[in-house]
Amino acid sequence: MSNNTITVRFFARLREELATDMLTLEPTPGLTAGQLLAQLAAKGGAWRQLNGDQPVMIAINQTMAKASHPVHGGDEIAFFPPVTGG
């Protein structure tokens, strides 16, 4: 992975419904994790769920993060549905 790109990973039902487990993208300056979610959701179809009614959890470099967290080249961003337990 280049320091100019980010790796975006999808887990659980997101991976299945989006039919991919990973993307490599070039981040724009000032990009946040929430903005990245919105950009991906704008692709339409199954991607819309990333910005829909169901929350999506975010981890950046294997640490839980908020949507307002900035994204930088070299980062690994993971999106996954909330874990429910019982």
Side-chain angles (χ1 to χ4, degrees):
M1 174 178 55
S2 163
N3 282 340
N4 296 327
T5 61
I6 57 173
T7 300
V8 183
R9 297 186 183 274
F10 304 97
F11 293 93
R13 73 169 167 77
L14 293 178
R15 176 178 56 216
E16 296 165 13
E17 293 172 7
L18 298 175
T20 188
D21 65 343
M22 185 181 77
L23 298 173
T24 301
L25 305 170
E26 288 191 32
T28 55
L31 183 69
T32 66
Q35 290 168 331
L36 176 60
L37 269 177
Q39 287 177 7
L40 293 172
K43 293 172 75 166
W47 294 92
R48 286 187 303 226
Q49 69 182 304
L50 295 176
N51 216 14
D53 295 335
Q54 296 292 322
V56 174
M57 304 297 292
I58 303 167
I60 298 178
N61 300 322
Q62 300 182 5
T63 300
M64 295 305 296
K66 295 182 186 259
S68 60
H69 195 286
V71 173
H72 304 286
D75 284 348
E76 178 185 80
I77 296 86
F79 296 125
F80 51 96
V83 177
T84 57

